[in-house]
Amino acid sequence: MIEDTLRSYVGFSVEVVTPLDLVKGTLLAVTSSTIIVQTPGDDYGPSKNVNVLLPVISYVRVLTDGGV
């Protein structure tokens, strides 16, 4: 199942693509229905955790070079 595969990448930098959004950050956790990605902070605020429902994910790119 996709959750098991994604769990092996917890702690990695990822790009998560959905039909409406692109979320870049560090994969923090994977549950049976969602993933949690910590997005980096910027000049306007601190980092934040974004929950993405598994059924709406088009694809996940794991960045092996620490890309985010």
Side-chain angles (χ1 to χ4, degrees):
M1 296 177 64
I2 189 69
E3 305 95 273
D4 296 329
T5 301
L6 289 172
R7 280 189 189 100
S8 67
Y9 292 105
V10 168
F12 281 71
S13 296
V14 295
E15 293 177 347
V16 180
V17 177
T18 71
L20 300 176
D21 204 2
L22 168 67
V23 179
K24 293 181 178 182
T26 303
L27 183 60
L28 291 183
V30 180
T31 70
S32 61
S33 61
T34 64
I35 65 172
I36 302 170
V37 178
Q38 183 179 44
T39 60
D42 58 19
D43 292 341
Y44 302 105
S47 63
K48 58 184 172 182
N49 294 346
V50 177
N51 294 316
V52 183
L53 295 172
L54 288 175
V56 301
I57 295 173
S58 298
Y59 68 90
V60 177
R61 177 180 293 147
V62 178
L63 304 174
T64 58
D65 64 353
V68 174

